[in-house]
Amino acid sequence: MRCDIEGWQQDFIERLARADLPAPQSRHSNLNDSDLFALFHSQVLSRFIDIESRRLQRQGKSFYTIGSAGHEGNAAIAAALRVTDPAFLHYRSGAFFLQRAKQLEGSHSLYDLMLSFCASSEDPISGGRHKVLGSRALNIPPQTSTIASHLPKAMGTAYAIGLSKRLKQAGQWPDDAIVLCNFGDASANHSTAVGTLNATGWSAYQGMPMPILYVCEDNGIGISTSNPRGWTAQQLQNYPAIRYYYADGANVSETYAVARQAAEYIRRTRKPAILHLKTQRFFGHAGADAEVAYRSNESIEQSFETDVLLQSAAQVIERELCTGIQLSEKAQCWLQRIRRVGTEASARPRLECAESVMASIVPKTLADDTQPLTSTQQQAVFAFDKRNFKKPQPLGKMINWALHEILARYQNTVVFGEDVGKKGGVYHVTHHLFDHFGANRVVNTLLDEQSILGLAMGMAQQGFLPIPEIQFLAYVHNAEDQIRGEAATLPFFSNGQYHNGMVIRIAGLAYQKGFGGHFHNDNSFAVFRDIPGVIVMCPSNGQDAVLMMRQAVQLAHCQKRLVIFLEPIALYMTRDLLAEGDKGWLHEFPSATAPLPALGEPSSYGEGNEVVIITYGNGYYLSRQACSELALEKRIRILDLRYLVPLDIEKIVAAVGSAKHILVVDECRNRGSLSEELVTALYEHRGDWQRVDRITAKDSFIPLGSAAYKVLPGKEDIIHYLQEHLGQ
């Protein structure tokens, strides 16, 4: 059989006419005749649409050529599941998509796929932004093609479905739904997949409901690198508490039977399973991949003799549903139809301007359907704490009280992370939350940031408002793709139909005394600064922290925004400003009706106009110390940015007013810090400054102990600068 795309297509149709097919493998089949033919139809359409996409790509009309050829056995997985079962699909799942669409009357799956391949703005899932397999109606959230990155949120969704039932919260998917997540054998080796499967087993081992079916579609090769023979089977069979199934994906009847068995087991027990599905990959990894560079012609030709399409056709003919000639004629009709659809889809409009491309980065605003707590209700929330919640408190305690208030006000909020439960977090910021709200709303997780953030995305898509905690800023780098490549991109790639509204709390920044070094004093949040749509907040004091936390949750709830809430660890328990016992950094808890700050607006301290200091976090605290020690409140002004991403330069310039001299105090490194963007934006917005200077940290990691202060900006640095430039 010819192995080139155009030649294969003609050979396939001719072989159908001759009934030149392998012996059918349909014994013990529980597929009825109509279902078998429907599966064959979906498989052939998927193969033909891959070929059409490559044909159009050569004409400059299609833009994505990673196909599903050889993986069409996953159509049987779709047939074994319900349309209400959320499916997190990898990029070789065209047949699954087409088969699932048959469960929903009125679907136009073939045309929708071609619109996606051709990057048309009329593509109903991404609006022309990416080739993704997705559909709101079919319960298929779109996935990016980052290797295995969709597994953590699939796991999170399975957990969230069980949590919805326990908390009696109506979710996006019903209580009896199971999650489908498929991936390739090469992806099974990725740390993201290994971590997710471990987290799934870890949860199920403890009796937590985890209704998820992982399908590893094993074609034996990742681009050009083969897996050792038998490795994937042994690997997948050794995850505790996850049941293992195997099927030959070339045999549609066997695949359907095993998938049904696995699905029934999961639906009945709410326990996870893995289906190891043997598949093949035809026509290379993608359009530009020439397999002959790393595979022999003989092995390529031999693989086509066990093609899933030939096997399925053999079963159709064995049951006398069609003769070979009739099947060949149908295939020719299907091919002609796909070419007509491809021609029409490739002529549809595409995104024409930046505004259209960016329109879905931020989800659409929704109404706030919650009511603020009354004073009486607020008193009741804090009845657990013997201290008067109106008594001034430090930053950490204020965030703790704000979380109590939020969990009481928003019944769909869940706080989770490492040690947040009984212990109350390593800094006690989640203290008493577990006692007050219980184990279903304050959840201790295993030590894996990828799984924590995946859990957050799964919860968000199920209808919860997640508040995950990352224990230290340096730890987020283990999982930053879950924010950058998954959480932030979902509205963009779904044209705003899906979202990941959440508030990610991260303890970070430097200046912790006597503890930690680099990994507990990380002074760089640059990873968040170039992610479109993300909001980064950083309160420096307790009062702002409460108001901004309320605002962050409101944004996540009403506008489905992804908010990073960066909490300066060194200021958690800081009580004094200038001298021991002065309590200058304590604040009262704001009333339930206190107005929220304007998003992006800095706060201001001081009345002066000679120098304006722009800073945030620990830099604001140090600048306040320097200003007070020099008694310069009437000569300088200090702006606490509070909102770090995106910078609202118009509000910042308005707060600077007529001042001409600006000092930026940035506790992060000289290179790659917020100060670079800020100085650039100031000059781009207004170029008449007399001078703009920076005090930043050195381009160094943070060492242990007192040496840390040799590479961080200090109060003395700010004092020296002000004395030099103000003639003190």
Side-chain angles (χ1 to χ4, degrees):
M1 192 167 187
R2 288 179 60 184
C3 305
D4 60 292
I5 289 178
E6 302 292 351
W8 172 88
Q9 200 166 44
Q10 188 59 40
D11 279 3
F12 173 69
I13 292 172
E14 291 174 0
R15 284 188 69 164
L16 290 180
R18 299 194 307 269
D20 178 14
L21 303 170
Q25 303 292 320
S26 58
R27 56 187 179 276
H28 309 305
S29 174
N30 55 354
L31 269 174
N32 61 40
D33 290 350
S34 62
D35 286 343
L36 173 62
F37 191 83
L39 287 172
F40 176 67
H41 177 242
S42 296
Q43 291 175 326
V44 175
L45 289 184
S46 178
R47 181 74 59 87
F48 284 1
I49 201 172
D50 281 351
I51 294 172
E52 177 65 7
S53 179
R54 295 196 184 198
R55 188 179 71 84
L56 291 171
Q57 190 266 345
R58 291 195 294 271
Q59 301 174 20
K61 297 178 179 179
S62 178
F63 304 92
Y64 198 92
T65 55
I66 294 182
S68 304
H71 284 246
E72 291 90 353
N74 57 38
I77 310 292
L81 300 175
R82 301 172 184 171
V83 74
T84 52
D85 293 330
F88 295 78
L89 303 179
H90 78 337
Y91 43 60
R92 301 199 194 278
S93 303
F96 182 105
F97 184 88
L98 292 165
Q99 181 63 32
R100 170 162 284 197
K102 291 176 178 176
Q103 299 181 43
L104 187 66
E105 188 176 351
S107 296
H108 303 92
S109 55
L110 198 60
Y111 185 53
D112 292 347
L113 281 180
M114 283 307 310
L115 287 172
S116 180
F117 291 173
C118 296
S120 170
S121 57
E122 295 177 354
D123 163 27
I125 186 61
S126 77
R129 294 172 180 84
H130 195 40
K131 180 265 181 181
V132 287
L133 296 167
S135 167
R136 181 81 177 183
L138 297 176
N139 293 294
I140 303 176
Q143 309 306 314
T144 62
S145 57
T146 308
I147 302 304
S149 63
H150 61 303
L151 270 71
K153 60 182 173 184
M155 176 273 297
T157 301
Y159 181 92
I161 288 171
L163 186 63
S164 290
K165 185 175 182 179
R166 295 196 295 279
L167 292 177
K168 297 180 172 58
Q169 291 264 354
Q172 171 77 18
W173 294 295
D175 290 347
D176 65 348
I178 67 176
V179 178
L180 181 281
C181 179
N182 64 352
F183 55 98
D185 57 299
S187 296
N189 296 306
H190 198 281
S191 63
T192 310
V194 174
T196 299
L197 291 167
N198 178 73
T200 302
W202 184 87
S203 303
Y205 185 80
Q206 301 174 74
M208 299 177 196
M210 291 296 290
I212 185 167
L213 174 60
Y214 293 105
V215 178
C216 179
E217 299 184 12
D218 183 359
N219 61 34
I221 193 167
I223 305 184
S224 67
T225 303
S226 298
N227 265 321
R229 186 180 299 275
W231 166 257
T232 302
Q234 184 164 336
Q235 175 192 25
L236 297 178
Q237 291 178 66
N238 283 292
Y239 286 104
I242 305 179
R243 180 168 290 194
Y244 175 85
Y245 295 87
Y246 174 83
D248 181 355
N251 184 340
V252 68
S253 297
E254 178 183 317
T255 301
Y256 177 76
V258 176
R260 278 289 299 271
Q261 183 184 0
E264 288 167 2
Y265 163 77
I266 298 167
R267 215 177 295 278
R268 182 181 72 255
T269 65
R270 314 309 287 166
K271 295 179 180 179
I274 292 175
L275 170 53
H276 181 193
L277 190 66
K278 180 184 177 183
T279 64
Q280 298 187 79
R281 189 195 73 191
F282 299 133
F283 311 132
H285 174 72
D289 178 34
E291 284 188 300
V292 292
Y294 51 87
R295 291 182 67 191
S296 69
N297 286 326
E298 183 181 16
S299 68
I300 295 172
E301 291 170 5
Q302 286 177 348
S303 67
F304 276 98
E305 293 307 309
T306 54
D307 188 345
V308 57
L309 266 59
L310 298 179
Q311 301 270 4
S312 296
Q315 292 187 31
V316 169
I317 292 174
E318 180 194 34
R319 295 198 191 186
E320 299 181 349
L321 305 181
C322 287
T323 66
I325 291 175
Q326 289 171 331
L327 217 51
S328 176
E329 290 172 348
K330 288 181 182 295
Q332 291 183 69
C333 290
W334 298 339
L335 176 59
Q336 291 169 8
R337 179 189 172 201
I338 283 174
R339 287 187 171 169
R340 288 195 301 270
V341 171
T343 299
E344 183 176 349
S346 65
R348 301 310 300 161
R350 296 175 184 153
L351 295 166
E352 297 292 345
C353 63
E355 290 76 15
S356 297
V357 172
M358 298 167 66
S360 65
I361 290 175
V362 176
K364 297 178 175 62
T365 302
L366 304 176
D368 187 353
D369 56 1
T370 61
Q371 297 297 319
L373 298 177
T374 65
S375 296
T376 303
Q377 290 170 324
Q378 197 178 47
Q379 290 276 6
V381 168
F382 300 115
F384 72 93
D385 199 320
K386 295 179 180 178
R387 286 169 288 190
N388 181 351
F389 78 94
K390 286 294 185 183
K391 184 179 179 181
Q393 297 291 338
L395 172 69
K397 175 55 69 175
M398 296 284 262
I399 295 175
N400 174 257
W401 283 353
L403 290 171
H404 276 90
E405 181 185 83
I406 285 161
L407 284 167
R409 181 184 176 194
Y410 297 87
Q411 294 302 307
N412 64 335
T413 47
V414 182
V415 170
F416 52 94
E418 301 159 25
D419 305 306
V420 301
K422 273 288 188 182
K423 179 178 174 63
V426 293
Y427 295 101
H428 303 291
V429 177
T430 57
H431 193 49
H432 287 310
L433 289 175
F434 180 89
D435 301 326
H436 199 177
F437 296 100
N440 286 322
R441 297 192 63 200
V442 184
V443 181
N444 272 341
T445 67
L446 78 174
L447 198 157
D448 177 26
E449 285 74 24
Q450 288 187 124
S451 294
I452 291 170
L453 294 171
L455 179 57
M457 285 183 276
M459 283 188 174
Q461 291 184 51
Q462 177 63 357
F464 288 99
L465 201 167
I467 308 179
E469 176 182 293
I470 302 297
Q471 203 165 80
F472 290 100
L473 176 59
Y475 297 174
V476 82
H477 304 299
N478 298 322
E480 62 188 53
D481 183 57
Q482 290 298 298
I483 299 174
R484 173 188 296 277
E486 292 294 336
T489 62
L490 185 59
F492 182 74
F493 289 133
S494 69
N495 205 13
Q497 297 171 77
Y498 286 94
H499 66 85
N500 284 306
M502 65 179 73
V503 179
I504 304 173
R505 293 183 46 249
I506 304 178
L509 301 177
Y511 297 95
Q512 282 198 88
K513 293 182 179 178
F515 178 66
H518 167 63
F519 289 103
H520 302 95
N521 273 311
D522 188 349
N523 66 332
S524 174
F525 58 93
V527 62
F528 305 126
R529 290 182 43 232
D530 68 341
I531 305 177
V534 167
I535 296 172
V536 178
M537 300 181 178
C538 181
S540 63
N541 61 82
Q543 184 177 43
D544 275 351
V546 173
L547 296 175
M548 292 168 69
M549 178 61 76
R550 289 173 182 169
Q551 185 178 48
V553 172
Q554 187 182 76
L555 286 165
H557 177 70
C558 300
Q559 297 185 26
K560 309 307 178 188
R561 299 298 297 271
L562 195 164
V563 183
I564 309 289
F565 203 79
L566 184 59
E567 302 168 5
I569 299 173
L571 297 176
Y572 269 152
M573 298 306 162
T574 299
R575 305 175 66 84
D576 306 319
L577 177 60
L578 298 176
E580 185 175 352
D582 69 14
K583 300 181 181 179
W585 214 247
L586 301 181
H587 294 84
E588 291 186 1
F589 193 82
S591 71
T593 57
L596 301 179
L599 186 64
E601 185 169 26
S603 67
S604 179
Y605 173 83
E607 307 169 19
N609 212 31
E610 294 184 47
V611 176
V612 172
I613 299 176
I614 304 178
T615 184
Y616 61 91
N618 294 287
Y620 180 64
Y621 177 76
L622 296 171
S623 297
R624 285 284 304 273
Q625 285 185 319
C627 178
S628 296
E629 287 190 20
L630 294 175
L632 289 174
E633 288 88 349
K634 294 189 180 298
R635 298 183 64 186
I636 71 172
R637 204 162 355 119
I638 308 173
L639 302 184
D640 183 357
L641 289 172
R642 303 188 294 187
Y643 304 94
L644 308 184
V645 179
L647 281 178
D648 192 327
I649 192 62
E650 291 190 1
K651 287 190 174 75
I652 295 168
V653 169
V656 170
S658 60
K660 301 289 188 179
H661 188 165
I662 293 174
L663 171 65
V664 176
V665 177
D666 192 332
E667 62 187 285
C668 292
R669 301 166 199 162
N670 184 67
R671 186 179 66 247
S673 67
L674 188 68
S675 63
E676 290 182 328
E677 177 187 354
L678 181 57
V679 171
T680 300
L682 287 168
Y683 276 112
E684 287 178 343
H685 195 83
R686 199 180 105 186
D688 62 343
W689 312 107
Q690 289 179 355
R691 65 180 304 145
V692 178
D693 295 314
R694 295 192 294 161
I695 296 176
T696 70
K698 304 294 185 184
D699 288 331
S700 170
F701 302 111
I702 307 298
L704 193 64
S706 60
Y709 299 95
K710 305 301 181 183
V711 296
L712 292 168
K715 175 186 67 177
E716 294 75 14
D717 298 316
I718 303 169
I719 288 174
H720 177 75
Y721 179 93
L722 294 174
Q723 287 175 330
E724 180 180 349
H725 292 279
L726 292 176
Q728 289 281 316

